[in-house]
Amino acid sequence: MSSIANLSRIARSEGDPKVLHSGPSSRGVPDSVARGLGWFSLGLGLTELLAPGRITRALGMEGKEALVRVYGAREIGSGILSLSADKKLGLWSRVAGDGLDIATVLTALRRDNPKRDNVVIALALLLGITAVDLIDAQATTVRHSRSAGRKRSYRNRSGFPRGVKASRGAARDFKTPPDLRHAPPLAAVSQRTSAV
């Protein structure tokens, strides 16, 4: 049983029904990956905001600290969106941000840069994370979008948990509870109140 189901028991009153088991999660693999990418974005964004000098020194890009801070703020925004209900927007903003990051880091791939090896490693990492971002953005978009003009069909749903056939005749053996047997019919009550 999930920890959420166990936690829900704490808030229930004595007479409330117990959660025996929880159903399948509606979160798919693309959603789980989006969640991980969202947390990664938040961590990277905070690093870029708080320690831009270390990043620029490692890549031989001294003087670009303000730009790294701006990229950090963008990364935090993408992370928040990736963790929200609108994951698609967050993931596609990550893909666009990856393009900016690659273009910026490519400028440090100069022959006179003594940290050129670090730049090559950073580019390889950026290309890898861009591939993950792109694949997950596409998968999440497909999973959470409907084709234009295509409506969902609910023809096979009845609204009855065990189906219509199991519900037919279920109330045949219903007996009126003793406290309601002697209640006056509502029509009689309404006629008396309207006459007064």
Side-chain angles (χ1 to χ4, degrees), residues 119-160:
V119 173
V120 170
I121 293 169
L123 281 171
L125 291 172
L126 282 169
L127 290 172
I129 197 69
T130 301
V132 172
D133 286 342
L134 185 60
I135 291 167
D136 194 49
Q138 289 172 338
T140 302
T141 300
V142 168
R143 179 172 167 75
H144 293 288
S145 63
R146 295 183 215 162
S147 300
R150 191 176 124 214
K151 295 181 180 177
R152 288 189 179 178
S153 172
Y154 296 103
R155 291 183 195 150
N156 61 346
R157 296 185 183 180
S158 67
F160 295 99

Coordinates of all heavy atoms in Angstrom, one line a residue, residues 119-160:
V119 N 35.3 22.6 -21.8 CA 34.2 23.1 -22.7 C 33.7 21.9 -23.5 O 32.5 21.7 -23.7 CB 34.7 24.2 -23.6 CG1 33.7 24.6 -24.6 CG2 35.1 25.5 -22.8
V120 N 34.6 21.0 -23.9 CA 34.2 19.9 -24.7 C 33.3 18.9 -23.8 O 32.3 18.4 -24.3 CB 35.4 19.1 -25.3 CG1 35.1 17.8 -25.9 CG2 36.1 20.0 -26.3
I121 N 33.7 18.7 -22.6 CA 33.0 17.9 -21.7 C 31.6 18.5 -21.4 O 30.6 17.8 -21.4 CB 33.7 17.7 -20.4 CG1 35.0 16.8 -20.6 CG2 32.8 17.0 -19.3 CD1 35.9 16.8 -19.4
A122 N 31.6 19.9 -21.2 CA 30.3 20.6 -21.0 C 29.4 20.4 -22.2 O 28.2 20.2 -22.0 CB 30.6 22.0 -20.6
L123 N 29.9 20.5 -23.4 CA 29.1 20.4 -24.6 C 28.6 19.0 -24.7 O 27.4 18.8 -25.1 CB 29.9 20.8 -25.8 CG 30.1 22.3 -26.1 CD1 31.1 22.5 -27.2 CD2 28.8 22.9 -26.4
A124 N 29.4 18.0 -24.4 CA 28.9 16.6 -24.5 C 27.7 16.4 -23.5 O 26.7 15.8 -23.8 CB 30.0 15.6 -24.2
L125 N 27.9 17.0 -22.3 CA 26.8 16.9 -21.3 C 25.6 17.6 -21.7 O 24.4 17.1 -21.6 CB 27.3 17.4 -19.9 CG 28.3 16.6 -19.2 CD1 28.8 17.3 -18.0 CD2 27.8 15.2 -18.8
L126 N 25.7 18.8 -22.3 CA 24.6 19.6 -22.8 C 23.9 18.8 -23.9 O 22.7 18.8 -24.0 CB 25.1 20.9 -23.3 CG 25.3 22.0 -22.2 CD1 26.0 23.2 -22.8 CD2 24.0 22.4 -21.6
L127 N 24.6 18.2 -24.8 CA 24.0 17.5 -25.9 C 23.2 16.3 -25.4 O 22.1 16.0 -25.8 CB 25.0 17.0 -26.9 CG 25.6 18.2 -27.8 CD1 26.8 17.6 -28.6 CD2 24.6 18.8 -28.7
G128 N 23.8 15.6 -24.4 CA 23.0 14.5 -23.8 C 21.8 14.9 -23.1 O 20.7 14.3 -23.3
I129 N 21.8 15.9 -22.3 CA 20.6 16.4 -21.6 C 19.6 17.0 -22.5 O 18.4 16.9 -22.3 CB 21.0 17.4 -20.4 CG1 19.8 17.5 -19.4 CG2 21.3 18.7 -20.9 CD1 19.5 16.3 -18.6
T130 N 20.1 17.6 -23.6 CA 19.2 18.1 -24.7 C 18.4 16.9 -25.3 O 17.2 17.0 -25.6 CB 19.9 18.9 -25.7 OG1 20.6 20.0 -25.1 CG2 19.0 19.4 -26.8
A131 N 19.1 15.8 -25.6 CA 18.4 14.7 -26.1 C 17.3 14.2 -25.2 O 16.2 13.9 -25.6 CB 19.4 13.6 -26.4
V132 N 17.7 14.1 -23.9 CA 16.7 13.6 -22.9 C 15.5 14.6 -22.8 O 14.3 14.2 -22.8 CB 17.3 13.4 -21.5 CG1 16.3 13.2 -20.4 CG2 18.4 12.3 -21.5
D133 N 15.8 15.9 -22.8 CA 14.7 16.9 -22.8 C 13.8 16.8 -24.0 O 12.6 16.9 -23.9 CB 15.3 18.3 -22.7 CG 15.9 18.6 -21.3 OD1 15.6 17.9 -20.4 OD2 16.7 19.6 -21.2
L134 N 14.4 16.7 -25.2 CA 13.7 16.6 -26.4 C 12.8 15.4 -26.5 O 11.6 15.5 -26.8 CB 14.6 16.7 -27.6 CG 14.0 16.7 -29.0 CD1 13.1 18.0 -29.1 CD2 15.0 16.7 -30.1
I135 N 13.3 14.2 -26.1 CA 12.6 13.0 -26.1 C 11.4 13.0 -25.1 O 10.3 12.7 -25.5 CB 13.5 11.8 -25.9 CG1 14.4 11.5 -27.0 CG2 12.7 10.5 -25.6 CD1 15.6 10.6 -26.7
D136 N 11.7 13.6 -23.9 CA 10.6 13.6 -22.9 C 9.6 14.7 -23.3 O 8.4 14.5 -23.0 CB 11.2 13.9 -21.5 CG 10.2 13.6 -20.5 OD1 9.5 12.5 -20.5 OD2 10.0 14.5 -19.6
A137 N 10.0 15.8 -23.9 CA 9.0 16.8 -24.3 C 8.1 16.3 -25.3 O 6.9 16.5 -25.3 CB 9.8 18.1 -24.8
Q138 N 8.6 15.5 -26.3 CA 7.8 15.0 -27.3 C 6.8 13.9 -26.7 O 5.7 13.9 -27.0 CB 8.7 14.3 -28.4 CG 9.4 15.3 -29.3 CD 10.4 14.7 -30.2 OE1 10.8 13.6 -30.0 NE2 10.7 15.5 -31.3
A139 N 7.4 13.0 -25.9 CA 6.5 12.0 -25.3 C 5.4 12.6 -24.4 O 4.3 12.1 -24.4 CB 7.4 11.0 -24.5
T140 N 5.8 13.6 -23.6 CA 4.8 14.3 -22.8 C 3.7 15.0 -23.6 O 2.5 15.0 -23.3 CB 5.5 15.2 -21.8 OG1 6.4 14.5 -21.0 CG2 4.5 15.9 -20.8
T141 N 4.1 15.6 -24.7 CA 3.2 16.3 -25.5 C 2.2 15.3 -26.1 O 1.0 15.5 -26.2 CB 3.9 17.0 -26.7 OG1 4.8 18.0 -26.1 CG2 3.0 17.7 -27.6
V142 N 2.7 14.2 -26.6 CA 1.8 13.1 -27.2 C 0.9 12.6 -26.1 O -0.3 12.4 -26.3 CB 2.7 12.0 -27.8 CG1 1.8 10.8 -28.1 CG2 3.4 12.5 -29.1
R143 N 1.4 12.3 -24.9 CA 0.6 11.7 -23.8 C -0.5 12.7 -23.3 O -1.6 12.2 -23.0 CB 1.5 11.4 -22.7 CG 0.8 10.8 -21.5 CD 1.9 10.3 -20.5 NE 1.3 9.9 -19.2 CZ 0.6 8.9 -18.9 NH1 0.4 8.0 -19.9 NH2 0.1 8.6 -17.7
H144 N -0.3 14.0 -23.3 CA -1.2 14.9 -22.7 C -2.0 15.8 -23.7 O -2.5 16.8 -23.3 CB -0.5 15.8 -21.7 CG 0.0 15.0 -20.5 ND1 -0.8 14.5 -19.5 CD2 1.2 14.6 -20.1 CE1 -0.1 13.8 -18.6 NE2 1.1 13.9 -19.0
S145 N -1.9 15.5 -25.0 CA -2.7 16.3 -25.9 C -3.7 15.5 -26.7 O -3.5 14.3 -26.9 CB -1.7 17.0 -26.9 OG -1.0 16.1 -27.6
R146 N -4.7 16.1 -27.1 CA -5.7 15.5 -27.9 C -5.6 16.1 -29.3 O -5.3 17.2 -29.5 CB -7.1 15.8 -27.4 CG -7.4 15.2 -26.1 CD -8.8 15.4 -25.7 NE -8.8 15.7 -24.2 CZ -9.8 16.2 -23.6 NH1 -10.8 16.7 -24.2 NH2 -9.8 16.4 -22.3
S147 N -5.9 15.3 -30.3 CA -5.9 15.8 -31.7 C -7.0 16.8 -31.8 O -8.1 16.7 -31.2 CB -6.2 14.6 -32.6 OG -5.2 13.7 -32.5
A148 N -6.8 17.8 -32.6 CA -7.8 18.9 -32.8 C -9.0 18.3 -33.4 O -9.0 17.5 -34.4 CB -7.2 19.9 -33.8
G149 N -10.2 18.6 -32.9 CA -11.4 18.1 -33.4 C -11.8 16.7 -32.9 O -12.9 16.3 -33.1
R150 N -10.9 16.0 -32.3 CA -11.2 14.6 -31.9 C -11.7 14.7 -30.4 O -11.0 15.1 -29.6 CB -10.0 13.7 -32.0 CG -10.3 12.3 -31.8 CD -9.0 11.5 -32.0 NE -8.8 10.7 -30.8 CZ -7.7 10.4 -30.2 NH1 -6.6 10.7 -30.8 NH2 -7.6 9.6 -29.2
K151 N -12.9 14.2 -30.2 CA -13.5 14.3 -28.9 C -13.4 12.9 -28.3 O -13.4 11.9 -29.0 CB -15.0 14.7 -29.0 CG -15.2 16.1 -29.4 CD -16.6 16.4 -29.4 CE -16.8 17.9 -30.0 NZ -18.2 18.2 -30.0
R152 N -13.3 12.9 -27.0 CA -13.2 11.6 -26.3 C -14.6 11.0 -26.3 O -15.6 11.6 -26.1 CB -12.8 11.8 -24.8 CG -11.3 12.2 -24.7 CD -10.9 12.2 -23.3 NE -9.5 12.5 -23.3 CZ -8.8 12.6 -22.2 NH1 -9.4 12.4 -21.0 NH2 -7.5 12.9 -22.2
S153 N -14.6 9.7 -26.4 CA -15.9 8.9 -26.4 C -16.0 8.2 -25.1 O -15.1 7.5 -24.6 CB -15.9 7.9 -27.5 OG -17.0 7.0 -27.4
Y154 N -17.2 8.4 -24.4 CA -17.5 7.8 -23.2 C -18.6 6.8 -23.3 O -19.3 6.5 -22.4 CB -17.8 8.9 -22.1 CG -16.7 9.8 -21.8 CD1 -16.6 11.1 -22.3 CD2 -15.6 9.4 -21.0 CE1 -15.6 11.9 -22.1 CE2 -14.5 10.2 -20.7 CZ -14.5 11.5 -21.3 OH -13.5 12.3 -21.0
R155 N -18.8 6.3 -24.5 CA -19.9 5.4 -24.8 C -19.8 4.1 -24.0 O -20.8 3.5 -23.7 CB -20.0 5.0 -26.3 CG -20.4 6.2 -27.1 CD -20.5 5.8 -28.6 NE -20.5 7.0 -29.4 CZ -20.1 7.1 -30.6 NH1 -19.5 6.1 -31.2 NH2 -20.1 8.2 -31.2
N156 N -18.6 3.6 -23.7 CA -18.5 2.4 -23.0 C -18.5 2.5 -21.5 O -18.2 1.6 -20.8 CB -17.2 1.7 -23.5 CG -16.0 2.5 -23.2 OD1 -16.1 3.7 -22.8 ND2 -14.8 1.9 -23.3
R157 N -18.7 3.7 -21.0 CA -18.8 3.9 -19.6 C -20.2 4.1 -19.1 O -21.0 4.8 -19.7 CB -18.0 5.2 -19.2 CG -16.5 5.0 -19.5 CD -15.7 6.2 -19.1 NE -14.3 6.1 -19.5 CZ -13.4 7.0 -19.2 NH1 -13.7 8.0 -18.5 NH2 -12.2 6.8 -19.6
S158 N -20.5 3.5 -18.0 CA -21.9 3.5 -17.5 C -22.0 4.4 -16.3 O -23.1 4.9 -16.0 CB -22.4 2.1 -17.1 OG -21.6 1.7 -16.0
G159 N -21.0 4.6 -15.5 CA -21.0 5.3 -14.3 C -21.3 4.4 -13.1 O -21.3 4.9 -11.9
F160 N -21.6 3.2 -13.4 CA -21.8 2.2 -12.3 C -20.4 1.4 -12.1 O -19.9 0.9 -13.0 CB -22.9 1.2 -12.6 CG -24.2 1.9 -12.8 CD1 -24.7 2.2 -14.0 CD2 -24.9 2.1 -11.6 CE1 -26.0 2.8 -14.1 CE2 -26.2 2.7 -11.7 CZ -26.7 3.1 -12.9

